[in-house]
PDB file of all heavy atoms in Angstrom:
ATOM      1  N   ALA B 165      18.473   4.820   7.674  1.00  0.00           N
ATOM      2  CA  ALA B 165      17.463   5.179   8.632  1.00  0.00           C
ATOM      3  C   ALA B 165      17.597   6.609   8.933  1.00  0.00           C
ATOM      4  O   ALA B 165      18.605   7.266   8.702  1.00  0.00           O
ATOM      5  CB  ALA B 165      17.601   4.309   9.806  1.00  0.00           C
ATOM      6  N   GLN B 166      16.581   7.166   9.623  1.00  0.00           N
ATOM      7  CA  GLN B 166      16.577   8.589  10.000  1.00  0.00           C
ATOM      8  C   GLN B 166      17.585   8.775  11.114  1.00  0.00           C
ATOM      9  O   GLN B 166      18.448   9.639  11.007  1.00  0.00           O
ATOM     10  CB  GLN B 166      15.174   8.982  10.449  1.00  0.00           C
ATOM     11  CG  GLN B 166      14.272   9.421   9.323  1.00  0.00           C
ATOM     12  CD  GLN B 166      13.347   8.200   8.923  1.00  0.00           C
ATOM     13  OE1 GLN B 166      13.574   7.151   9.212  1.00  0.00           O
ATOM     14  NE2 GLN B 166      12.245   8.579   8.280  1.00  0.00           N
ATOM     15  N   GLN B 167      17.504   8.014  12.197  1.00  0.00           N
ATOM     16  CA  GLN B 167      18.205   8.399  13.368  1.00  0.00           C
ATOM     17  C   GLN B 167      18.852   7.233  14.117  1.00  0.00           C
ATOM     18  O   GLN B 167      18.243   6.136  14.135  1.00  0.00           O
ATOM     19  CB  GLN B 167      17.293   9.124  14.425  1.00  0.00           C
ATOM     20  CG  GLN B 167      16.753  10.447  13.791  1.00  0.00           C
ATOM     21  CD  GLN B 167      15.755  11.173  14.716  1.00  0.00           C
ATOM     22  OE1 GLN B 167      15.260  10.562  15.719  1.00  0.00           O
ATOM     23  NE2 GLN B 167      15.527  12.482  14.422  1.00  0.00           N
ATOM     24  N   ALA B 168      19.911   7.406  14.780  1.00  0.00           N
ATOM     25  CA  ALA B 168      20.456   6.450  15.763  1.00  0.00           C
ATOM     26  C   ALA B 168      20.562   7.202  17.112  1.00  0.00           C
ATOM     27  O   ALA B 168      20.785   8.482  17.102  1.00  0.00           O
ATOM     28  CB  ALA B 168      21.765   5.921  15.367  1.00  0.00           C
ATOM     29  N   ASP B 169      20.464   6.567  18.241  1.00  0.00           N
ATOM     30  CA  ASP B 169      20.824   7.104  19.509  1.00  0.00           C
ATOM     31  C   ASP B 169      22.316   6.787  19.809  1.00  0.00           C
ATOM     32  O   ASP B 169      22.924   6.080  19.127  1.00  0.00           O
ATOM     33  CB  ASP B 169      19.845   6.776  20.591  1.00  0.00           C
ATOM     34  CG  ASP B 169      19.858   5.399  21.020  1.00  0.00           C
ATOM     35  OD1 ASP B 169      20.806   4.584  20.676  1.00  0.00           O
ATOM     36  OD2 ASP B 169      18.957   4.935  21.664  1.00  0.00           O
ATOM     37  N   ARG B 170      22.680   7.263  20.953  1.00  0.00           N
ATOM     38  CA  ARG B 170      24.140   7.100  21.269  1.00  0.00           C
ATOM     39  C   ARG B 170      24.550   5.617  21.582  1.00  0.00           C
ATOM     40  O   ARG B 170      25.687   5.261  21.484  1.00  0.00           O
ATOM     41  CB  ARG B 170      24.562   8.051  22.376  1.00  0.00           C
ATOM     42  CG  ARG B 170      24.327   9.461  22.027  1.00  0.00           C
ATOM     43  CD  ARG B 170      24.917  10.579  22.661  1.00  0.00           C
ATOM     44  NE  ARG B 170      24.426  11.827  22.155  1.00  0.00           N
ATOM     45  CZ  ARG B 170      24.843  12.473  21.035  1.00  0.00           C
ATOM     46  NH1 ARG B 170      25.858  11.935  20.289  1.00  0.00           N
ATOM     47  NH2 ARG B 170      24.286  13.526  20.670  1.00  0.00           N
ATOM     48  N   LYS B 171      23.444   4.838  21.909  1.00  0.00           N
ATOM     49  CA  LYS B 171      23.761   3.494  22.132  1.00  0.00           C
ATOM     50  C   LYS B 171      23.789   2.638  20.822  1.00  0.00           C
ATOM     51  O   LYS B 171      24.034   1.413  20.891  1.00  0.00           O
ATOM     52  CB  LYS B 171      22.770   2.817  23.063  1.00  0.00           C
ATOM     53  CG  LYS B 171      22.972   3.350  24.590  1.00  0.00           C
ATOM     54  CD  LYS B 171      22.219   2.369  25.537  1.00  0.00           C
ATOM     55  CE  LYS B 171      21.059   3.029  26.127  1.00  0.00           C
ATOM     56  NZ  LYS B 171      20.059   2.193  26.713  1.00  0.00           N
ATOM     57  N   GLY B 172      23.357   3.214  19.750  1.00  0.00           N
ATOM     58  CA  GLY B 172      23.343   2.510  18.511  1.00  0.00           C
ATOM     59  C   GLY B 172      21.883   1.884  18.252  1.00  0.00           C
ATOM     60  O   GLY B 172      21.785   1.096  17.236  1.00  0.00           O
ATOM     61  N   ASN B 173      20.949   2.228  19.007  1.00  0.00           N
ATOM     62  CA  ASN B 173      19.643   1.904  18.579  1.00  0.00           C
ATOM     63  C   ASN B 173      19.205   2.713  17.294  1.00  0.00           C
ATOM     64  O   ASN B 173      19.691   3.821  17.301  1.00  0.00           O
ATOM     65  CB  ASN B 173      18.599   2.166  19.669  1.00  0.00           C
ATOM     66  CG  ASN B 173      18.835   1.284  20.927  1.00  0.00           C
ATOM     67  OD1 ASN B 173      18.857   0.094  20.855  1.00  0.00           O
ATOM     68  ND2 ASN B 173      19.114   2.008  22.042  1.00  0.00           N
ATOM     69  N   VAL B 174      18.432   2.226  16.434  1.00  0.00           N
ATOM     70  CA  VAL B 174      18.139   2.944  15.208  1.00  0.00           C
ATOM     71  C   VAL B 174      16.685   3.106  14.940  1.00  0.00           C
ATOM     72  O   VAL B 174      15.887   2.132  15.121  1.00  0.00           O
ATOM     73  CB  VAL B 174      18.701   2.116  13.961  1.00  0.00           C
ATOM     74  CG1 VAL B 174      18.168   2.660  12.708  1.00  0.00           C
ATOM     75  CG2 VAL B 174      20.243   2.287  13.959  1.00  0.00           C
ATOM     76  N   ALA B 175      16.197   4.344  14.665  1.00  0.00           N
ATOM     77  CA  ALA B 175      14.787   4.597  14.438  1.00  0.00           C
ATOM     78  C   ALA B 175      14.533   4.880  12.987  1.00  0.00           C
ATOM     79  O   ALA B 175      15.242   5.600  12.305  1.00  0.00           O
ATOM     80  CB  ALA B 175      14.434   5.758  15.408  1.00  0.00           C
ATOM     81  N   LEU B 176      13.437   4.236  12.406  1.00  0.00           N
ATOM     82  CA  LEU B 176      12.980   4.457  11.068  1.00  0.00           C
ATOM     83  C   LEU B 176      11.517   4.827  11.208  1.00  0.00           C
ATOM     84  O   LEU B 176      10.802   4.264  12.033  1.00  0.00           O
ATOM     85  CB  LEU B 176      12.967   3.233  10.223  1.00  0.00           C
ATOM     86  CG  LEU B 176      14.288   2.475   9.859  1.00  0.00           C
ATOM     87  CD1 LEU B 176      14.809   1.737  11.058  1.00  0.00           C
ATOM     88  CD2 LEU B 176      14.021   1.615   8.673  1.00  0.00           C
ATOM     89  N   TRP B 177      10.985   5.699  10.370  1.00  0.00           N
ATOM     90  CA  TRP B 177       9.572   5.976  10.282  1.00  0.00           C
ATOM     91  C   TRP B 177       9.187   6.289   8.847  1.00  0.00           C
ATOM     92  O   TRP B 177      10.032   6.475   8.052  1.00  0.00           O
ATOM     93  CB  TRP B 177       9.134   7.021  11.277  1.00  0.00           C
ATOM     94  CG  TRP B 177       9.637   8.325  11.108  1.00  0.00           C
ATOM     95  CD1 TRP B 177       9.176   9.283  10.427  1.00  0.00           C
ATOM     96  CD2 TRP B 177      10.798   8.869  11.801  1.00  0.00           C
ATOM     97  NE1 TRP B 177       9.890  10.462  10.499  1.00  0.00           N
ATOM     98  CE2 TRP B 177      10.887  10.180  11.369  1.00  0.00           C
ATOM     99  CE3 TRP B 177      11.808   8.446  12.689  1.00  0.00           C
ATOM    100  CZ2 TRP B 177      11.970  11.061  11.762  1.00  0.00           C
ATOM    101  CZ3 TRP B 177      12.798   9.158  13.122  1.00  0.00           C
ATOM    102  CH2 TRP B 177      12.854  10.626  12.664  1.00  0.00           C
ATOM    103  N   GLY B 178       7.894   6.428   8.674  1.00  0.00           N
ATOM    104  CA  GLY B 178       7.369   6.510   7.272  1.00  0.00           C
ATOM    105  C   GLY B 178       7.194   5.084   6.721  1.00  0.00           C
ATOM    106  O   GLY B 178       6.933   4.187   7.452  1.00  0.00           O
TER     107      GLY B 178
END
Side-chain angles (χ1 to χ4, degrees):
Chain B
Q166 278 99 339
Q167 301 178 340
D169 68 14
R170 301 196 186 279
K171 289 200 248 161
N173 299 302
V174 164
L176 297 77
W177 63 87

